[in-house]
């Protein structure tokens, strides 16, 4: 809507004006026509503004179109922002004969622009203080935005990476395929992905990225909100360790042993590998607790755990089931290996007992069951057989008993 439209002579005297302009100041044509534009009530209420209009008229009188914006107040006290232009009109000789003044109310547009600028400022500040990394790249995969969170996570200052290829933030093995993945993602919607990043010091770390693509003016950009998952993964490992490991000995606990042993037995059956399951417990453990106290009993259990780790292979599954009961699953070992395993264990127990600082001797009972892949037994069946062999051994006190458990 045109709020002001008129006609001036070359000196800036108002010759004609539209009704909308008169309504702004509650005036009649005769109140303003014939007066210099800058002396009319639209502008004369403020000396600086009137002087600005006068200079703009002089510029237009010299044949140059001029534009400016000003705050305007109507007689009803309504303030508005007006975009004003003065356009010279030349006669057939090329001389400026008239000037057309035109004013448009742009209050709503400027208010919206100001609100948008304030929103962008708030958003920019928010993005800067976010702990997550905010990284924007263009279609050439060069970095265009790098917030403080990104600086903290990657170890680079923004000025060191802006304009540089994104490759510098990627592990070596991810750089080759990354352009293809970006090109592919351009064809799909926004999404979330598990990725890996590379810090300035070369450390590779796990991350989760929410990726937003935006096309403005035909130009495509990708913005990733990237969260460093290092601490979460570390916490998950701790929780996994707490749920799968025995606190006292550091060995697997019953839950972990059951889960992993069943998997290993299925693999052994498919591969045709025999296995040996050993059930061990301490002879006279109750007497140690009663005589020396529970703290001493706990120390002995930790010692036994260490002895078992030293005796058996790294590939063997070693666990404390609870109390003074332990279990070992040796994959790929048959009945012929039992004598060697028992001899190694007895040697380490004897060495421990010979230590003058040991305090008191310990003794470990062993029962065993053999897994035959040609006639596979269940884990429960093997454990029952090894348990029976252990207690038969305790009854005879003459060495370990070995039983073959068949399905």
């Amino acid at each position: 809507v045109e709020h002001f439209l008129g006609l001036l002579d070359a000196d800036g005297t108002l010759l004609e004006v539209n009704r909308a302009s008169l309504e702004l100041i509650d005036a009649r044509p005769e109140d303003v026509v014939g007066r210099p534009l800058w002396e009319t009530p639209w502008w004369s209420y403020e000396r600086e503004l009137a002087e600005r209009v006068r200079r703009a008229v002089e510029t237009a009188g010299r044949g140059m179109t001029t534009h400016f914006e000003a705050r305007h107040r109507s007689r009803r006290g309504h303030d508005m922002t007006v975009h004003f232009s003065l356009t010279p009109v030349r006669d057939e000789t090329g001389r400026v004969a008239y000037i057309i003044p035109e004013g448009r109310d742009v209050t709503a547009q400027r208010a919206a622009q100001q609100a948008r600028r304030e929103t962008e400022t708030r958003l920019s500040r928010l993005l800067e203080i976010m702990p997550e990394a905010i990284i924007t790249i263009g279609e050439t995969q060069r970095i265009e935005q790098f917030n403080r969170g990104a600086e903290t996570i990657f170890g680079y200052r923004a000025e060191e990476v802006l304009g540089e290829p994104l490759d510098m933030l990627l592990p070596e093995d991810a750089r080759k395929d990354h352009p293809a993945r970006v090109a592919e993602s351009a064809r799909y919607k926004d999404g979330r992905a598990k990725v890996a990043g590379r810090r300035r010091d070369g450390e590779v770390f796990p991350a989760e990225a929410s990726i937003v693509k935006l096309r403005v003016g035909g130009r495509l950009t990708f913005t990733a909100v990237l969260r460093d998952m290092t601490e979460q993964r570390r916490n998950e490992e701790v929780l996994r360790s707490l749920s799968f490991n025995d606190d006292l000995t550091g060995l697997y606990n019953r839950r972990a042993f059951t889960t992993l042993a069943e998997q290993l037995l299925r693999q052994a059956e498919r591969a045709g590998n025999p296995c040996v399951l050993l059930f061990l417990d301490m002879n006279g453990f109750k007497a140690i607790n009663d005589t020396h106290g529970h703290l001493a009993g706990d120390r002995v259990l930790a010692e036994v755990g260490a002895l078992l780790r030293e005796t058996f292979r790294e590939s063997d599954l070693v666990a404390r089931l609870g109390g003074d009961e332990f279990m070992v699953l040796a994959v790929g070992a048959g009945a012929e290996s039992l004598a060697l395993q028992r001899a190694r264990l007895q040697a380490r127990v004897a060495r421990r007992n010979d230590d003058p600082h040991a305090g008191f001797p310990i003794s470990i009972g062993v029962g065993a069951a053999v897994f035959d892949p040609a006639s596979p037994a269940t884990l429960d069946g093997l454990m029952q057989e090894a348990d029976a062999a252990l207690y038969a051994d305790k009854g005879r006190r003459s060495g370990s008993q070995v039983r073959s458990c068949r399905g």
Side-chain angles (χ1 to χ4, degrees), residues 70-145:
R71 297 289 296 173
H72 178 75
R73 184 182 303 120
S74 70
R75 288 193 173 180
R76 297 171 185 170
H78 175 63
D79 285 341
M80 65 180 71
T81 300
V82 177
H83 179 82
F84 204 74
S85 64
L86 293 162
T87 305
V89 178
R90 300 177 185 273
D91 61 17
E92 62 275 7
T93 67
R95 182 177 59 86
V96 174
Y98 301 101
I99 300 172
I100 298 177
E102 183 180 0
R104 295 179 181 272
D105 182 2
V106 294
T107 307
Q109 296 95 309
R110 297 301 176 262
Q113 290 170 355
Q114 178 63 24
R116 185 166 60 250
R117 283 193 295 269
E118 291 173 356
T119 298
E120 290 173 351
T121 298
R122 287 194 297 268
L123 180 59
S124 177
R125 291 177 180 174
L126 177 62
L127 293 180
E128 277 301 306
I129 65 173
M130 284 179 65
E132 291 84 1
I134 311 294
I135 302 171
T136 298
I137 63 170
E139 290 182 275
T140 62
Q141 300 185 46
R142 292 188 177 271
I143 300 168
E144 299 178 2
Q145 181 183 16

Side-chain angles (χ1 to χ4, degrees), residues 275-279 333-343 365-372 382 384-394 396 398-406:
C275 301
V276 170
L277 185 76
L278 302 177
F279 202 143
E336 70 281 357
S337 68
L338 285 172
L340 178 60
Q341 291 172 341
R342 184 170 180 273
V366 182
V370 177
F371 175 80
D372 182 358
L382 288 171
Q384 290 172 13
E385 289 292 328
D387 186 36
L390 170 65
Y391 281 93
D393 170 56
K394 283 179 175 289
R396 285 190 289 271
S398 60
S400 299
Q401 290 292 309
V402 180
R403 298 191 179 188
S404 177
C405 182
R406 299 178 180 273

Side-chain angles (χ1 to χ4, degrees), residues 42 281 284 373 396:
W42 293 290
D281 76 355
R396 285 190 289 271

Side-chain angles (χ1 to χ4, degrees), residues 243-245 252-261 317 319:
S243 63
F244 269 44
N245 289 83
Y252 285 118
N253 59 19
R254 179 186 288 270
R255 173 187 175 190
F257 181 83
T258 301
T259 301
L260 298 174
L317 191 62

Side-chain angles (χ1 to χ4, degrees), residues 28 108 130 229 251 263 358 393:
R28 296 169 300 175
M130 284 179 65
M229 302 296 288
L251 301 176
Q263 295 175 0
D393 170 56

Side-chain angles (χ1 to χ4, degrees), residues 234-246:
R234 187 178 295 121
N235 291 338
E236 289 173 354
E237 288 298 324
V238 170
L239 290 174
R240 190 175 296 114
S241 173
L242 291 175
S243 63
F244 269 44
N245 289 83
D246 174 59

